[in-house]
């Protein structure tokens, strides 16, 4: 089989599966779409079947691909051990210990509490420093009207969140800001993201965006 | 400084160990490990000092190893194991097609998953790509349906909905109008269009420029509020971590 026909084969599979999935997800399990006619429930249920089967298929493929990805990570770090990379040994030991803990002490969450939660929350806490530093740099590099507006909004929201009686007027402003202009901007951002997702999805379904060619 | 505090903590834990039962001992061990790991992550602030710089990296590598292990466990326990148990029980079925269809779906998925391993063999790449194609287009279909029914229609409906007490409450009417104008102009800001004008290439019409400026005002306001919310969240977590460190160190 030539390269062109093999690429065409992948695109054909993508198109058939994509059309079946989107029609099934949109029309399935929704008897109201077919009116009060007899058998509309059965029709809706049957239309939902291909989408359901495809979703289950993809969920299992993704789970298997996660296992392959983790195996790849481990092999990469085993390879780095030969170069005497101390941190790779730490990663492999951490992985092995967690699996051992899971196998021998099922249902015990103390490892999660002792290691995972403090590291995650400490990393999230470090984000504060990065955000504060980033905000200061933005103001240094972009001292225009939009930069000023950005800083004013940040200050109003931050001051509005303080539980001080003296700042009650700022709290009123902050509440209005969140309910009206921020809500409008956030809705536009959400709509933009949704439209972007639809366009990207449609491109993949129509075979215009063949990122799976490798 | 770190080591002095650590020695004090270890000493405190040892004292508590001697006086209390095993439940408290486990609690103290968890607190001690949390304390040490928190300090290791916070050592990032000190920069790349000798012996200190490695602490942050070790904490991150522990985190990556543990996250990989937990992800593996969740993938197995949450996805593979339930399906495996279901196909072994002939009376249960995910679909109305029956247990045999479930078995077919499960083993097809496993086969497709294993086909991903053929990626390095150039002549068989098309097989792997076909599996990727199935995963990507099903993901795209879910994204399109989710974006349509979960975001686009509800947000548009909420934006054009009028308040119930429209005639009596002027401020609510004004707020609704501002939200509507803000949403539309901010959406317009994303759409860039110019009018062709001879040799100069193109220029925006004054009306278009005005709409874009109004839209930008709302977007900058929204981004500022999102940024402030992120700062507040991380500040809350930072306060909790410092509170834990001081409580444990005292």
């Amino acid at each position: 089989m030539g390269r062109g026909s093999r690429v065409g084969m992948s695109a054909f599979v993508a198109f058939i599966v994509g059309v079946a999935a989107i029609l099934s997800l949109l029309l399935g399990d929704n008897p109201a779409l077919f009116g009060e006619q007899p058998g509309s429930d059965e029709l809706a249920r049957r239309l939902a079947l291909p989408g359901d089967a495809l979703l289950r298929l993809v969920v299992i493929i993704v789970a298997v691909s996660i296992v392959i990805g983790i195996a790849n990570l481990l092999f990469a770090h085993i390879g780095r051990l030969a170069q005497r990379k101390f941190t790779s040994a730490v990663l492999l030991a951490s992985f092995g210990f967690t699996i051992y803990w899971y196998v021998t002490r099922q249902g015990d969450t103390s490892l999660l509490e002792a290691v995972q939660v403090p590291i995650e929350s400490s990393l999230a806490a470090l984000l504060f420093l990065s955000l504060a530093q980033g905000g200061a740099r933005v103001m240094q590099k972009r001292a225009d009207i939009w930069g000023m507006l950005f800083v004013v909004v940040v200050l109003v929201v931050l001051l509005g969140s303080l539980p001080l009686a003296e700042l009650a007027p700022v709290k009123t402003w902050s509440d209005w800001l969140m309910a009206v202009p921020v809500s409008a901007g956030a809705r536009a951002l959400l709509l933009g993201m949704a439209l972007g997702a639809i366009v990207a999805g449609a491109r993949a379904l129509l075979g215009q965006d063949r990122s799976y060619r490798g | 400084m770190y080591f002095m505090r650590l020695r004090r903590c270890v000493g405190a834990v040892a004292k508590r160990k001697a006086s209390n039962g095993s439940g408290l001992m486990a609690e103290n061990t968890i607190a001690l490990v949390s304390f040490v790991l928190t300090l290791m992550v916070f050592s990032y602030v000190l920069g790349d000092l000798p012996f200190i710089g490695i602490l942050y990296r070790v904490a991150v590598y522990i985190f990556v190893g543990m996250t990989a292990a937990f992800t593996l466990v969740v993938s197995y326990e949450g996805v593979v194991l339930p399906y495996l148990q279901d196909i072994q029980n002939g009376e249960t079925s995910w679909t109305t097609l029956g247990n045999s269809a479930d078995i077919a779906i499960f083993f097809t998925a496993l086969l497709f998953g294993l086909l991903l391993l053929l990626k390095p063999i150039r002549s068989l790449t098309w097989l792997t790509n076909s599996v990727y194609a199935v995963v990507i287009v099903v993901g795209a279909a879910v994204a399109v349906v989710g974006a349509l029914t979960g975001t686009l229609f509800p947000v548009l409906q909420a934006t054009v909905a009028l308040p119930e007490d429209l005639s009596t409450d002027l401020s609510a009417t004004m707020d609704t109008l501002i939200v509507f104008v803000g949403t539309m102009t901010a959406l317009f800001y994303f759409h860039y269009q110019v009018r062709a004008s001879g040799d100069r290439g193109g220029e925006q019409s004054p009306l278009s420029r005005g709409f874009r400026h109004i839209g930008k005002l709302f977007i900058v306001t929204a981004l500022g509020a999102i940024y402030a919310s992120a700062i507040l969240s991380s500040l809350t977590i930072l306060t909790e971590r410092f509170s834990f460190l001081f409580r444990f160190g005292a």
Side-chain angles (χ1 to χ4, degrees):
Chain A
M1 206 187 288
R3 181 171 162 72
S5 56
R6 277 179 289 184
V7 171
M9 171 93 171
S10 300
F12 180 70
V13 169
F15 181 74
I16 296 293
V17 170
V19 169
I22 201 160
L23 286 178
S24 176
L25 288 170
L26 278 174
L27 305 176
D29 269 342
N30 196 356
L33 281 176
F34 308 103
E36 295 294 318
Q37 292 169 11
S40 59
D41 284 357
E42 179 62 19
L43 181 63
R45 204 172 48 77
R46 278 179 183 273
L47 280 173
L49 275 177
D52 193 22
L54 282 170
L55 278 182
R56 288 181 192 279
L57 188 82
V58 166
V59 165
I60 300 169
I61 296 173
V62 169
V64 174
S65 60
I66 286 173
V67 174
I68 294 172
I70 291 171
N72 185 39
L73 174 85
L74 295 179
F75 283 128
H77 282 278
I78 288 169
R80 277 164 56 107
L81 276 182
Q83 301 161 20
R84 295 182 180 277
K85 298 275 185 188
F86 159 69
T87 43
S88 291
V90 171
L91 185 143
L92 290 169
S94 157
F95 179 87
F97 182 71
T98 311
I99 294 291
Y100 169 76
W101 186 277
Y102 165 73
V103 172
T104 56
R105 303 172 75 163
Q106 281 201 347
D108 187 351
T109 57
S110 43
L111 187 66
L112 204 70
E113 286 169 42
V115 182
Q116 192 90 356
V117 172
I119 296 182
E120 265 184 43
S121 52
S122 304
L123 287 171
L126 279 183
L127 187 68
F128 170 74
L129 301 176
S130 310
L131 284 173
Q133 199 181 16
R137 276 196 192 164
V138 165
M139 266 322 287
Q140 275 174 355
K141 295 199 171 177
R142 269 192 79 166
D144 58 359
I145 180 84
W146 302 113
M148 295 294 284
L149 175 68
F150 185 83
V151 171
V152 167
V153 171
V154 170
L155 286 177
V156 168
V157 173
L158 286 179
L159 291 174
S161 68
L162 289 176
L164 293 173
E166 292 83 1
L167 293 172
V170 183
K171 171 102 179 103
T172 315
W173 264 97
S174 168
D175 288 347
W176 180 82
L177 207 67
M178 295 298 274
V180 183
V182 172
S183 166
R187 279 176 192 190
L189 290 173
L190 271 176
L191 287 172
M193 282 192 276
L195 289 171
I198 291 168
V199 170
R203 280 177 62 85
L205 290 171
L206 295 172
Q208 293 288 311
D209 186 2
R210 296 185 193 170
S211 51
Y212 45 80
R213 273 187 303 193
Chain B
M1 175 112 175
Y2 275 124
F3 293 113
M4 278 173 65
R5 182 167 282 179
L6 192 61
R7 268 176 60 189
R8 242 178 45 213
C9 297
V10 173
V13 169
K15 273 182 201 166
R16 282 175 209 163
K17 253 188 190 177
S19 60
N20 295 315
S22 61
L24 189 60
M25 187 186 81
E27 212 172 276
N28 281 337
T29 313
I30 292 174
L32 177 67
V33 174
S34 304
F35 178 78
V36 173
L37 287 170
T38 304
L39 286 183
M40 283 168 78
V41 174
F42 282 167
S43 70
Y44 175 79
V45 180
L46 298 175
D48 218 0
L49 296 175
F51 303 112
I52 301 287
I54 191 83
L55 292 176
Y56 173 76
R57 275 195 290 156
V58 169
V60 169
Y61 273 78
I62 290 173
F63 178 64
V64 173
M66 195 160 272
T67 307
F70 276 126
T71 311
L72 187 69
V73 168
V74 169
S75 301
Y76 174 71
E77 270 204 337
V79 181
V80 179
L81 192 62
Y83 283 125
L84 209 56
Q85 285 169 343
D86 273 356
I87 61 168
Q88 282 170 348
N89 185 356
E91 289 171 7
T92 58
S93 176
W94 312 319
T95 63
T96 48
L97 296 172
N99 190 255
S100 52
D102 296 351
I103 294 173
I105 291 173
F106 184 76
F107 284 104
T108 310
L110 280 187
L111 178 73
F112 277 15
L114 293 175
L115 284 178
L116 296 176
L117 293 171
L118 299 177
K119 185 80 177 166
I121 305 170
R122 274 188 78 85
S123 58
L124 294 176
T125 309
W126 65 277
L127 270 174
T128 317
N129 288 347
S130 297
V131 177
Y132 281 139
V134 170
V135 174
I136 287 172
V137 292
V138 172
V142 172
V144 168
V145 174
L148 276 172
T149 58
T151 309
L152 202 65
F153 294 149
V155 172
L156 278 177
Q157 257 178 350
T159 307
V160 296
L162 293 171
E164 282 174 9
D165 48 356
L166 185 66
S167 53
T168 52
D169 193 348
L170 188 68
S171 70
T173 312
M174 281 305 293
D175 286 352
T176 310
L177 196 66
I178 293 171
V179 169
F180 178 74
V181 171
T183 308
M184 292 304 133
T185 51
L187 266 179
F188 187 78
Y189 176 75
F190 294 128
H191 176 68
Y192 186 77
Q193 61 177 21
V194 289
R195 194 171 50 185
S197 65
D199 297 337
R200 283 181 296 168
E203 64 179 27
Q204 284 180 286
S205 68
L207 190 66
S208 160
R209 207 178 305 133
F211 275 150
R212 283 169 60 80
H213 276 303
I214 298 171
K216 193 173 178 181
L217 180 93
F218 282 94
I219 288 175
V220 170
T221 310
L223 291 179
I226 293 168
Y227 192 80
S229 305
I231 288 180
L232 274 176
S233 307
S234 55
L235 188 61
T236 310
I237 300 170
L238 184 70
T239 316
E240 185 275 327
R241 279 292 92 192
F242 273 130
S243 148
F244 167 76
L245 288 179
F246 286 125
R247 254 187 299 128
F248 192 81

